[in-house]
Amino acid sequence: MTDSQTAVRPERRAELAAGLARVRARIADACAAAGRQRDEVTLVAVTKTYPAADVVALAGLGVTDVGENRDQEAAPKAEAVAEAGAAPRWHFIGQLQRNKARSVVRYADVIQSVDSVRLAAALDAAAGAVRDRPLDVLVQVSIDGDPARGGALPGAADPQRGLDPVAAAVAGADGLRLAGLMAVAPLGWEPDRAFARLAEVAAALRADHPGATVLSAGMSGDLESAVGHGATHVRVGSALLGMRPALR
């Protein structure tokens, strides 16, 4: 990656600054409406398909956390951003295959999409081999309990996909730290219904794992509802960076 590939055009920096101001204002308004402090909610800039230059620019504008969902894109991008002198906190937010675990744990600070005991075991082994500190993990929850989609299943007895077994596997792993939960509102559900259900699941998890306080929920279209129901992290892409380039 050359310097020119991480250099930021002034007009693009201005676009990003304007988008960031709008998103920050939305988060602040949502916090005020919910009676929460603004510093209770962290913005995760979802930079998938956007260039490393945008990440460098966002870091320069004060964004501390960025999210990616494909290892083949995220790994070189994280390297390029580091070479440019920026050091955001990297969140892996996409579905993760076990054979990618060793790559992802080298650059990710947080994995938000763990939804099986097998994946937790693979990440634990990989993290123990290459990291000097535990990897923060969020268990992805299936709010509607549909086993055909990603997410651990609340209340399910499934020893691999049940939320309780997955959370216990993460909490008991030497190389991992159970930080909390992540979820996406299911298609067809009103955001308030989805995030109210997620808040109930999160409260139950904290009863067993008091340190699991992170709740990653809400995106460009529904972050206000998520903040209203206790989200500590919102994942915002298009509202911050503009229309997403087509996947190649």
Side-chain angles (χ1 to χ4, degrees), residues 33-50:
R36 302 178 62 190
Q37 297 298 310
R38 172 60 185 87
D39 62 4
E40 294 179 33
V41 180
T42 297
L43 168 64
V44 180
V46 180
T47 54
K48 62 183 183 181
T49 76
Y50 295 99

Side-chain angles (χ1 to χ4, degrees), residues 102-237:
R102 185 173 287 271
S103 174
V104 171
V105 302
R106 293 181 183 276
Y107 60 85
D109 300 289
V110 186
I111 307 290
Q112 292 206 12
S113 50
V114 174
D115 63 357
S116 74
V117 171
R118 290 187 184 92
L119 179 56
L123 287 169
D124 181 33
V130 303
R131 294 175 62 90
D132 59 4
R133 63 189 185 282
L135 175 69
D136 280 355
V137 164
L138 305 185
V139 176
Q140 182 176 349
V141 175
S142 171
I143 293 176
D144 61 1
D146 185 346
R149 289 198 291 271
L153 308 172
D158 187 324
Q160 279 296 325
R161 293 276 310 277
L163 176 57
D164 289 344
V166 177
V170 174
D174 291 338
L176 310 177
R177 185 182 79 87
L178 178 62
L181 298 178
M182 181 273 266
V184 178
L187 292 176
W189 283 49
E190 289 295 324
D192 281 340
R193 177 191 176 200
F195 297 135
R197 170 59 179 149
L198 178 62
E200 295 173 354
V201 174
L205 179 78
R206 289 193 298 271
D208 293 328
H209 304 279
T213 58
V214 173
L215 186 59
S216 175
M219 299 185 291
S220 292
D222 56 16
L223 69 84
E224 287 84 0
S225 177
V227 170
H229 290 284
T232 63
H233 291 64
V234 293
R235 309 179 304 273
V236 180

